[in-house]
Each structure stands twice: as structure tokens, then as C-alpha cells.
Amino acid sequence: MRIGDLADGMTRGVEGIAASVSETFMEPVLRLGVTGLSRAGKTVFITSLVANLLDRGRMPQLRAAASGAIVSAYLRPQPDNTVPRFDYEAHLAAMTGSEPRWPDSTRAVSELRLSLKVRPGGLGSIFGAVTGPRTIHVDIVDYPGEWLLDLALMDKDYAEWAAETLGRLDRRPGSDGFVAALAGIDPGAPFDEATAQLLAAQFTEALNIAREAGFSDCTPGRFLLPGEMAGSPVLTFAPLPVPGGSTPRGSLWREMERRYEAYKREVVKPFFRDHFSRIDRQVVLVDALGAIHAGPRAVEDLRRAMTEILGAFRPGRNAWLTRFLTGKRVEKILFAATKADHLHHSQHARLTSIMQALMKEARRRADFAGADTAAMAIAALRATVEETREQRGESYDCVRGTLMSTGRQAALYPGELPEDPALLLEPAREGAEDWLDGDYQVMHFAPARLTMKPGEGPPHIRLDKAAEFLLGDRLR
Ligand SMILES: Nc1nc2c(ncn2[C@@H]2O[C@H](COP(=O)(O)OP(=O)(O)OP(=O)(O)O)[C@@H](O)[C@H]2O)c(=O)[nH]1
Ligand SMILES: [Mg+2]
């Protein structure tokens, strides 16, 4: 199953065209896809990107900002009337208020439209003077990262998904209750609702514990964040082994299979069809540092999850990333390692190479041929300052910030990332329990208290470079 296969034929295709030019004014629209697992940094990224496009003082590497080509930027009503608006103001107020804090984890989908008035060639350009400024709309969607995982389900039938999921239970914490519940049932026995509910509840608990322990691949994503679907049949199933050779009609197994397919059809498909199928530019956010900190298993799990997810973006007839009717694909994809402010800049290049290596198979599988891709280490909201500390004759490149736990200032030396990413990725692939050469630390820093000058957005690392890559060519 590819993203494009979800297009459901012509109706959607026609809508796709209508949405790519703003209805009334025929102004161009750029849909920016922000892809990332839960806690990858999507909401912070969107908030800070928008704030820094509205006030462009900290965006020197975005050429259209530096040259003055962007005349003005403002928020406009979004195109989709039934999707909640991304609560930009509340998120920004949280991050930059007098008691700065991170925005809450996202629980539902939302959307924002940022419109940029651009004078081609910049201020004083003859071309600009002749043609006058034009407007380009940038549409961005935010959603809970848990839901992204479900993209990998579209390619799997129930038996496959169940076998994979059951196969990794023993390598994950928190599965005991579910394993015990499974031991007591016969998947070939006639279906009954009480058993289905018990299994689903135990399985959901196992997923939640695994997620807490830093595992990325915890499908189905809505089990972690059910919203208004809690308790419905599409969320009341669990993986079962195939009962001895046959799957009789009316059996528990058959009903679980039916619900799994209903979940894919009625929950997963509409979400991706509505929000992912018209993307022009894509940023893939990855919390590589967080996974490295959680250990080799989390790194391998992240690598696999991202490979499976991006597999759905492979091209083909009606592919997910194929523009409807025009056959155009996503033009640019940025792979960004987020939260780079946890590292001194002397290590940013290493983080970028690790991210590139992590995403290598995903990129190959997705075959983003024709798309322009780049990788960089960024911090959407910089929460630290750099500092070099001497200890016993050695100097350490640290970062300093306000600890979330105590509110106190602390300096962090996260450990030295290897120059060769294989030194991390290979032990992870081979199933190592711990890193050989010590630990990698992550501290949870609160956003720094700021005084933002007029015309400046929140502080960041390379957000301007990311914006230049993603949007720059359309703003000239
Ligand atoms: N230091 C630092 N921390 C960050 C940055 N961006 C995100 N974080 C941290 O990562 C956490 C998750 O960021 P979010 O933007 O909420 O992540 P998300 O991808 O929207 O997560 P879900 O909504 O759960 O899918 C934040 O609460 C911060 O602790 C950053 O630029 N610097
Ligand atoms: Mg979020």
C-alpha cells in the first residue's frame, strides 16, 4: 500500500488541484509535511519556524529574509474548515513566556496557514517593481507522532503484523501481563467480547510501557492515544498467533483480523489521505540523541521504525508522494536531527553523520529519486549556551541550561559521539544491551528565559538553514 493508493480515484484528485492554488486568489500554496515520531520535536519546530518567519531577525541564512524579498508575513485562515487550527499563540506563549515551558504533547491533528508576501528579487529590484509582490501560502499540519507509526501497518496483513509484534515481546519490558493473558486463550475458539477486551487492555498496557522505555515502534499508534475512539471495536484487538493451521469462521482470530483491517481502513487511511497525500516539501525530524541516550536497542528500533514509515513514501504509480494528476513528487526532503542544543557545536557534524547513517536504508527504500534531500542537526528552540570546562587538566565542551527537574542551572557534557556512525549503528543492529564506550547523557532542559528584541523570533540552531532548504527557492 502506498500513500497514493489511498487517493480513492478522481474525487480526491480534483480536490488536490483545488487545494494547490488558493481558491479565490489563485495564489500558490506550499504544503510542508512535518514528519516525526512522538517527542521528535514537531510542535516546537512548527511553532519556532512560524515565529521566526513572522519576525525574521534571526534568519540570516534564509536568503529571502536577509535580502528583504519577504515583504511581510502573516497568519491567514487555513484551507481545511473541519481541522482544528494549530494553537500557535498558546505554544509560543508557553515557550517564550515568563515561566518558559515546552508545549504539551500533541493529542489531535491541527493545521496552520502562514502567508508570505514576497517581492521577487528583493527590495528595490526592478523585476519586483514591475510585477509587484505576490503571496505564497505555506500550510503546515501538526499531529501526534504516535499516529505516524501506523503508516507501516498499511503494507501488512494481520497475520504478518501479529507475528512481528509477538516476536519482539520478549525483548521489551512490560509484556508480562499480555503474555499471561495470551497463554490462557485459544485463538481458534469462538469469539467473545470479554476476551477481546482483556487482550486489548493488556496489549495496550504493554505498548505504553515499551514506549515509556524509549521504544519507537509501538503499533497501532491509536492504542497509545485513542481520543474519541477509545473503547470502539477498531481499538479492541490484539496480536494473536495463528491457531493450529486454520482460522475458523467466527473465531477470536478471525474477528481480531477483521478489526485490524477495519483499523487500517477506517482510522489509518483517512488520516494519511487527508494530511499526507498533497505534500510538496517534507521535513523528517528525528530525535537521534534521545535514542542514543536510551541505548542500542532504542537506536535499532528507531532505525527500523523510520525505515518502515518512509517505505510508504516510495514512488510508483499513484504513489503517496506523487502529486495527484500532475504526477509530481515531493520535491525536497530534509532529514533533521533535532535538539542539537544538547551538544556543543563541535559535535554537530557527528550528529548529522549519525542521522544520515540511521536514515540510509529508509532513504534507499523510499527511493526519493528526483527529490532534493539534505541532512542537518538543528535545534528549533535553543535552550542552552555553550561553555568549555576544565577538569583535571582536560577541557570539556559542554552546554549549560536550566534543568527541568530542579529549575537549577547545570552544565552537561553529553559524551563524545564517534566520528564513524558505524560504531553506534553496528552494536545496535547486533542487539547489544549497552554501549561499549560508556554512556551518552541527555538532560532535560527547560526553554531559556528570553528577552526577544522586536523583529526577532526565538533563538534556534540552523532553523534558517532548514527554512532556506525547504522554502527558499519559492521565495525568490
Ligand atoms: N533542548 C531542546 N529540546 C527540544 C527541542 N525541540 C523539542 N525539544 C524537547 O522535545 C520535547 C518534544 O517536543 P515536541 O515538539 O512536543 O515533540 P512532538 O514531535 O510534537 O511530539 P508529539 O506531539 O508527542 O508527537 C519537548 O517537550 C522538549 O523537551 C529543541 O529544539 N531543543
Ligand atoms: Mg507535538
Side-chain angles (χ1 to χ4, degrees):
M1 170 62 74
R2 305 189 182 108
I3 293 188
D5 296 338
L6 306 182
D8 290 337
M10 286 298 287
T11 332
R12 189 71 210 169
V14 172
E15 276 173 38
I17 287 190
S20 66
V21 263
S22 187
E23 297 72 13
T24 352
F25 306 106
M26 300 298 280
E27 286 161 345
V29 175
L30 200 80
R31 274 182 88 92
L32 176 63
V34 182
T35 300
L37 298 174
S38 69
R39 318 313 287 150
K42 297 180 294 300
T43 303
V44 173
F45 177 87
I46 297 169
T47 309
S48 184
L49 178 68
V50 169
N52 276 293
L53 287 172
L54 290 172
D55 289 299
R56 297 172 294 282
R58 290 192 205 254
M59 299 292 268
Q61 302 255 26
L62 175 63
R63 278 160 53 192
S67 72
I70 303 176
V71 183
S72 58
Y74 40 96
L75 297 175
R76 286 279 297 275
Q78 65 195 47
D80 298 291
N81 293 322
T82 54
V83 178
R85 181 176 177 280
F86 178 78
D87 201 351
Y88 165 74
E89 293 78 8
H91 296 318
L92 185 70
M95 284 157 48
T96 59
S98 56
E99 297 285 331
R101 54 182 182 81
W102 299 105
D104 292 337
S105 188
T106 307
R107 308 197 64 84
V109 63
S110 65
E111 184 182 53
L112 192 70
R113 167 167 284 191
L114 173 76
S115 301
L116 298 162
K117 194 174 268 185
V118 180
R119 192 191 306 274
L123 282 177
S125 130
I126 300 169
F127 183 53
V130 173
T131 58
R134 63 195 160 78
T135 301
I136 175 160
H137 304 288
V138 182
D139 288 348
I140 314 177
V141 169
D142 191 26
Y143 56 91
E146 285 86 351
W147 298 1
L148 186 67
L149 289 167
D150 289 337
L151 206 41
L153 297 186
M154 295 307 293
D155 262 341
K156 287 179 199 157
D157 64 21
Y158 176 64
E160 263 177 284
W161 170 76
E164 265 177 32
T165 308
L166 294 171
R168 64 181 171 225
L169 284 183
D170 60 346
R171 279 174 276 134
R172 291 188 171 188
S175 313
D176 299 354
F178 179 57
V179 171
L182 268 184
I185 60 119
D186 169 10
F191 168 79
D192 79 280
E193 187 62 39
T195 309
Q197 285 183 8
L198 171 78
L199 288 168
Q202 293 288 356
F203 178 59
T204 306
E205 189 179 316
L207 283 182
N208 274 306
I209 295 173
R211 203 260 305 256
E212 278 300 301
F215 288 89
S216 304
D217 193 352
C218 302
T219 55
R222 301 270 169 142
F223 279 44
L224 298 166
L225 206 61
E228 61 190 20
M229 268 180 255
S232 67
V234 283
L235 297 197
T236 312
F237 66 89
L240 294 180
V242 183
S246 75
T247 54
R249 264 170 178 261
S251 63
L252 189 58
W253 196 92
R254 279 279 192 105
E255 176 62 11
M256 293 290 193
E257 180 189 38
R258 194 192 66 76
R259 292 181 179 191
Y260 171 85
E261 290 301 332
Y263 177 81
K264 278 164 58 178
R265 189 177 60 246
E266 285 160 40
V267 179
V268 183
K269 193 169 156 176
F271 171 64
F272 288 104
R273 180 194 58 210
D274 295 346
H275 301 297
F276 276 67
S277 54
R278 291 181 274 137
I279 289 171
D280 301 287
R281 309 281 161 103
Q282 159 122 291
V283 55
V284 178
L285 301 176
V286 183
D287 182 9
L289 277 176
I292 294 169
H293 168 66
R297 285 183 177 184
V299 168
E300 177 60 7
D301 195 63
L302 171 69
R303 191 187 67 76
R304 273 168 190 263
M306 292 312 293
T307 305
E308 291 208 349
I309 290 164
L310 294 177
F313 287 84
R314 69 190 179 276
R317 200 173 64 84
N318 279 336
W320 275 89
L321 294 189
T322 305
R323 260 302 188 77
F324 294 93
L325 302 185
T326 65
K328 213 171 78 190
R329 281 186 205 151
V330 161
E331 304 147 324
K332 282 166 170 275
I333 302 162
L334 174 65
F335 293 89
T338 52
K339 313 180 194 180
D341 56 330
H342 283 102
L343 280 183
H344 192 272
H345 75 271
S346 54
Q347 293 211 58
H348 286 182
R350 294 183 179 193
L351 177 61
T352 307
S353 339
I354 291 168
M355 238 270 309
Q356 269 171 320
L358 256 177
M359 295 289 123
K360 195 168 159 204
E361 197 188 332
R363 284 167 78 165
R364 189 181 55 73
R365 262 239 256 165
D367 179 19
F368 292 127
D372 192 4
T373 65
M376 54 184 84
I378 66 163
L381 184 69
R382 179 176 194 160
T384 64
V385 290
E386 296 190 339
E387 182 171 288
T388 300
R389 292 204 163 187
E390 305 287 332
Q391 213 169 39
R392 289 182 223 105
E394 297 255 12
S395 71
Y396 292 92
D397 286 337
C398 301
V399 292
R400 183 163 51 78
T402 310
L403 282 182
M404 293 268 277
S405 46
T406 59
R408 286 245 203 35
Q409 287 270 313
L412 163 73
Y413 177 69
E416 186 148 324
L417 293 174
E419 217 168 329
D420 178 3
L423 293 176
L424 290 181
L425 266 61
E426 270 166 27
R429 231 180 247 255
E430 285 155 12
E433 294 267 346
D434 298 298
W435 302 118
L436 265 184
D437 302 324
D439 260 346
Y440 299 97
Q441 302 298 324
V442 170
M443 281 176 170
H444 293 288
F445 295 115
R449 198 166 293 165
L450 307 167
T451 38
M452 284 199 289
K453 289 193 213 126
E456 277 189 355
H460 61 79
I461 299 173
R462 287 186 206 94
L463 194 63
D464 49 347
K465 244 184 119 183
E468 172 64 26
F469 176 79
L470 289 166
L471 313 171
D473 60 318
R474 297 291 294 274
L475 305 177
R476 288 198 260 282

